[in-house]
């Protein structure tokens, strides 16, 4: 499991960068107002993203908030999926608590790590449709509704499979940096505003 894989899954700069004189970037003024929020309920974890951008410059550039939210949520879907499969906490602070011997002996288990019995849970974490505008956009990352009871039971044990802290926060910072750099070079790809699940965020 690596953060690089999660960042690469966002595929921010697939377009060829337009040539630009080095001095152009020195005159760029981009203000990032980060309104990222996290909300959780007793039944399941929810992670919401909302970012507002104000740009002021003497040349054109491409900064689409919908693309940033798309890229962030895609990278985090990949990270959450791989964290669950590896038995690691999503903030990168260590291993998830061990399963009991009784649970480990259950027939049909695809893995001995917590949260990964068949792979269904990790694959079906879902990002909703990206909504808003080019200057302010948002989405939510939620578990499959059929896993709400499991997520709630795990939360009572102090086990969380979603976070925007620690390693997840570093992924967010890296994606944001790449997004701004790609926008200044007009190199960012087009955004995907559709729903997406973790299996597709490869």
């Amino acid at each position: 499991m690596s953060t690089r894989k999660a960042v690469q899954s966002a595929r921010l700069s697939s377009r060829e960068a337009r040539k630009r004189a080095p001095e152009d970037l020195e005159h760029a003024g981009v203000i990032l107002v980060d309104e990222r929020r996290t909300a959780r309920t007793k039944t399941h974890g929810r992670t919401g993203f909302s970012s507002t951008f104000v740009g002021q410059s003497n040349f054109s550039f491409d900064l689409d908030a919908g693309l940033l939210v798309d890229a962030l949520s895609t990278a985090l879907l990949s990270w959450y999926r791989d964290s669950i499969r590896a038995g690691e906490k999503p903030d990168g602070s260590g291993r998830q608590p061990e399963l009991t011997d009784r649970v480990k002996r259950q027939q049909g288990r695809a893995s001995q790590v917590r949260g990964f019995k068949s792979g269904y849970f990790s694959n079906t974490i879902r990002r909703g449709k990206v909504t808003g505008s080019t200057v302010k956009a948002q989405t939510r990352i939620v578990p499959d509704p059929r896993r709400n009871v499991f997520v709630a039971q795990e939360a009572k044990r102090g086990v969380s499979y979603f976070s925007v802290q620690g390693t997840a926060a570093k992924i967010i910072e890296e994606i944001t940096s790449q997004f701004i750099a790609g926008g200044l070079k007009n190199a960012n790809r087009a955004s995907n505003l559709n729903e997406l699940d973790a299996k597709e965020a490869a």
Side-chain angles (χ1 to χ4, degrees), residues 17-25 59-61 183-186:
R18 182 167 63 86
K19 292 182 179 180
R20 182 183 303 285
E23 59 269 17
D24 284 346
L25 296 181
F59 63 86
S60 64
F61 55 88
L184 292 173
K185 295 185 293 185
N186 286 335

Side-chain angles (χ1 to χ4, degrees), residues 91-191:
D91 62 2
S93 62
R95 301 282 299 173
Q96 293 282 19
E98 291 287 330
L99 295 170
T100 64
D101 290 339
R102 179 183 63 81
V103 173
K104 286 182 178 180
R105 289 194 299 268
Q106 289 177 342
Q107 290 186 348
R109 287 199 68 90
S111 172
Q112 298 294 301
V113 301
R114 193 173 203 93
F116 186 16
K117 181 178 181 180
S118 67
Y120 181 83
F121 172 51
S122 61
N123 279 337
T124 57
I125 302 167
R126 176 162 288 271
R127 178 198 82 188
K129 186 175 182 180
V130 178
T131 59
S133 66
T134 57
V135 294
K136 186 172 184 178
Q138 61 186 4
T139 190
R140 283 182 173 175
I141 294 177
V142 296
D144 186 292
R146 287 166 286 190
R147 291 296 181 267
N148 282 350
V149 173
F150 168 74
V151 173
Q153 290 173 339
E154 289 287 82
K156 291 179 180 179
R157 300 185 179 101
V159 179
S160 174
Y161 297 99
F162 309 94
S163 174
V164 291
Q165 306 299 321
T167 303
K170 293 179 181 178
I171 292 173
I172 292 171
E173 292 173 3
E174 176 64 22
I175 292 292
T176 303
S177 296
Q178 288 189 14
F179 166 76
I180 293 175
L184 292 173
K185 295 185 293 185
N186 286 335
N188 283 334
R189 64 172 174 80
S191 57

